[in-house]
Amino acid sequence: MEPYRIKAVEPLPRTTRPQREAALRRVHYNLFELRAEEVTIDLLTDSGTGALSSGQLAAAMSSDESYAGSASFHRFRDAVEELTSYPHILPVHQGRAAERILFSTLVGPGKLTLSNTHFDTTRANVELAGGEARDLPCPQARDLDGAGPFKGNIDIEALRAVLEGPEASRVVLVLMTVTNNGCGGQPVSMANLAETAAVCRRHGVPLFLDAARFAENAWLVTRREAAYRGRTPRQVAQEAFRLADGCLMSAKKDGIVHIGGFLGLRDSALAQRCELLLIATEGFPTYGGLAGRDLDMMALGLAEALDPGHLASREQAAAHLAGRARAAGVGIVEPPGLHAIYLNAGRLLPHIPAHRFPGQALACQLYLEGGIRSAELGSLYLGREDEHGEPVISAPYELVRLALPRRVYTRGHLDHVGDVLARIADDPGGVPGYRITGQAPILRHFRVRLEPAHDMAPASLRGGRV
Ligand SMILES: Cc1ncc(COP(=O)(O)O)c(C=O)c1O
């Protein structure tokens, strides 16, 4: 059962189907552009959408808002140092600010970063700094149906090959994303992390953790890696941070705050250079773009995220939703992790080709049928077309992510999602594809405009055209 009781509630927005049809037309079938009050169950992201605890709210009330050297900063710093062992902790307003600061300092034209998978803003920040971000996921990651316990691992052989090959001098850092959000939220084993750390050390390349979901990764290690059974998630997390030279943290996930993050570093010279950028772009190093209350809530959130009761309840919620999807005949990326389940839209909607975006089609249908917001992770996110809309690059898989905000939705809400999925899976042939009518050159999924592909659209979506 959920390890909390509910003290404050918020009414769920309710809409009618005609209202949802009109909303979708208005936002050009881009779910990012919906108003939140038009969404009944919001599974767009688990980032910054968690519920605060009474302890966090109490800490916020007794925070110190001094510009420099606040007691809140020192409480935050002590908590993070105890967890990570890094002597330099730079608070930032969210994860991508830490990315920008670190990569502007270490990456430059011609430089290369290697990762199990770079998250999209991480890749964008490497590229904005002039570098190249290369993903080296393990081969098991390609098998969506495989039950491998650690499909988030980096491919150690591929990592060695780059670090021992002609490109070695271009590599400035290795980044391990835990859990691997770009690869179905799959965890990384401690064995893989330790081996990566050893390879990095041998080649003199620093290893960083993208630690947004460090607690969920640690939990899955205690559940799936024999050598760590019986350890607490905190012990596993501490060991993981110790294996690395630093971390980038978006605390909006496993910090259970609405805003916040930090950059953790061992290297004092690097920390000094990063601090200059921090002061110029985020704020003085004892607040880094955050209020004292944010720092106090983050310190507590990082501890609450490691509570075994919290993590077990998240694992069970994801497993429950995964079970409902499987029962409806909708394939998912196996095995389910904690922060999300990933639906295999390509398999459910084989009549929709990649450049008509089956993932976006399923995401729009979930909204139309049940007011559920989700995120496409397929060819809209990763693909490219030519000026005639013909595919140039398609994503390897057409997925839809149902992210689970922390401490927000109950089993009843997840059952609603399961019911809606089952209704869609009853008649998948009625779901239309979409074509792009406007897009930005990078991170296009955020602002893209679409319309139903008319040859495939049911009448209700065609608006005034029919
Ligand atoms: C793995 C990972 N890294 C980095 C980020 C970026 O963090 P933020 O949204 O706080 O900038 C995210 C956000 O979703 C993420 O999932």
Side-chain angles (χ1 to χ4, degrees):
M1 62 183 174
E2 289 86 354
Y4 50 79
R5 55 184 177 170
I6 297 167
K7 190 178 289 190
V9 297
E10 178 187 358
L12 277 184
R14 298 289 188 121
T15 53
T16 63
R17 186 171 175 121
Q19 285 170 334
R20 295 195 290 276
E21 286 171 359
L24 269 187
R25 275 198 293 272
R26 190 194 77 238
V27 301
H28 301 273
Y29 304 91
N30 178 346
L31 302 172
F32 282 101
E33 304 279 10
L34 287 170
R35 297 171 68 121
E37 69 212 33
E38 294 168 323
V39 177
T40 302
I41 305 285
D42 205 343
L43 307 185
L44 183 68
T45 177
D46 63 323
S47 179
T49 52
L52 296 172
S53 66
S54 51
Q56 284 175 296
L57 286 170
M61 289 308 291
S62 49
S63 64
D64 174 0
E65 300 298 347
S66 305
Y67 183 93
S70 70
S72 295
F73 172 73
H74 288 287
R75 283 191 288 269
F76 158 77
R77 220 206 79 87
D78 291 350
V80 177
E81 191 183 2
E82 198 270 327
L83 174 64
T84 65
S85 75
Y86 304 138
H88 305 285
I89 309 295
L90 282 56
V92 293
H93 80 278
Q94 65 180 89
R96 66 199 69 183
E99 291 165 3
R100 182 182 47 73
I101 288 171
L102 184 69
F103 300 154
S104 315
T105 309
L106 283 184
V107 180
K111 300 298 183 195
L112 181 58
T113 63
L114 304 174
S115 176
N116 51 345
T117 309
H118 295 80
F119 178 68
D120 61 8
T121 60
T122 322
R123 173 179 304 284
N125 275 300
V126 170
E127 290 172 359
L128 284 170
E132 177 191 339
R134 191 175 301 168
D135 294 339
L136 306 173
C138 68
Q140 294 85 336
R142 280 191 283 278
D143 175 13
L144 300 191
D145 303 315
F150 292 107
K151 288 160 65 178
N153 283 351
I154 199 166
D155 183 336
I156 294 280
E157 286 318 310
L159 176 67
R160 271 206 198 99
V162 180
L163 291 176
E164 289 166 10
E167 294 183 297
S169 61
R170 291 177 56 206
V171 180
V172 286
L173 63 93
V174 173
L175 184 67
M176 191 72 102
T177 308
V178 296
T179 55
N180 193 340
N181 190 12
C183 268
Q186 298 292 318
V188 173
S189 72
M190 292 300 285
N192 186 257
L193 185 60
E195 219 177 330
T196 304
V199 173
C200 287
R201 212 172 310 116
R202 200 168 316 129
H203 293 277
V205 175
L207 170 65
F208 288 87
L209 293 185
D210 178 343
R213 298 179 182 85
F214 75 97
E216 299 184 349
N217 200 82
W219 175 252
L220 290 171
V221 164
T222 68
R223 304 275 289 158
R224 298 182 186 175
E225 196 165 355
Y228 289 85
R229 228 159 264 147
R231 303 271 199 98
T232 65
R234 172 173 289 275
Q235 288 167 335
V236 176
Q238 283 172 324
E239 186 175 323
F241 282 116
R242 256 183 232 118
L243 284 169
D245 300 290
C247 73
L248 300 157
M249 177 71 190
S250 166
K252 296 170 71 175
K253 287 81 169 173
D254 276 347
I256 326 188
V257 284
H258 298 145
I259 199 73
F262 57 87
L263 178 57
L265 297 167
R266 271 197 211 297
D267 182 326
S268 300
L270 178 60
Q272 258 180 19
R273 289 164 64 204
C274 289
E275 219 173 74
L276 294 178
L277 267 178
L278 180 77
I279 295 171
T281 60
E282 288 281 296
F284 190 68
T286 64
Y287 74 88
L290 294 167
R293 61 177 169 272
D294 298 322
L295 295 167
D296 266 317
M297 288 192 286
M298 201 177 358
L300 228 64
L302 290 166
E304 291 176 0
L306 284 164
D307 168 40
H310 162 76
L311 290 163
S313 137
R314 277 185 69 68
E315 184 181 29
Q316 284 155 16
H320 180 72
L321 191 53
R324 292 294 312 261
R326 290 189 204 106
V330 180
I332 60 164
V333 176
E334 299 283 1
L338 262 64
H339 87 283
I341 68 162
Y342 293 66
L343 306 173
N344 191 334
R347 192 175 292 162
L348 181 68
L349 307 173
H351 60 289
I352 304 179
H355 67 295
R356 291 291 174 259
F357 310 117
Q360 187 65 12
L362 178 56
C364 286
Q365 207 65 21
L366 283 163
Y367 178 69
L368 263 184
E369 294 281 341
I372 299 157
R373 179 153 65 170
S374 55
E376 191 262 9
L377 288 174
S379 290
L380 188 61
Y381 176 58
L382 292 172
R384 289 285 166 274
E385 300 78 40
D386 65 17
E387 63 275 22
H388 310 296
E390 294 305 316
V392 176
I393 304 171
S394 297
Y397 307 105
E398 304 297 338
L399 304 177
V400 172
R401 188 182 75 171
L402 302 177
L404 300 170
R406 290 162 185 77
R407 312 189 288 209
V408 170
Y409 293 119
T410 65
R411 271 308 151 86
H413 297 122
L414 299 183
D415 281 334
H416 169 72
V417 178
D419 292 345
V420 171
L421 257 183
R423 280 211 300 278
I424 296 172
D426 261 355
D427 180 22
V431 178
Y434 290 82
R435 73 164 57 85
I436 291 179
T437 58
Q439 61 178 308
I442 60 164
L443 297 173
R444 69 173 179 179
H445 51 289
F446 286 122
R447 305 317 290 258
V448 70
R449 291 180 162 208
L450 300 142
E451 66 180 11
H454 298 299
D455 45 333
M456 308 167 76
S460 66
L461 283 177
R462 285 187 209 135
R465 287 170 203 266
V466 172

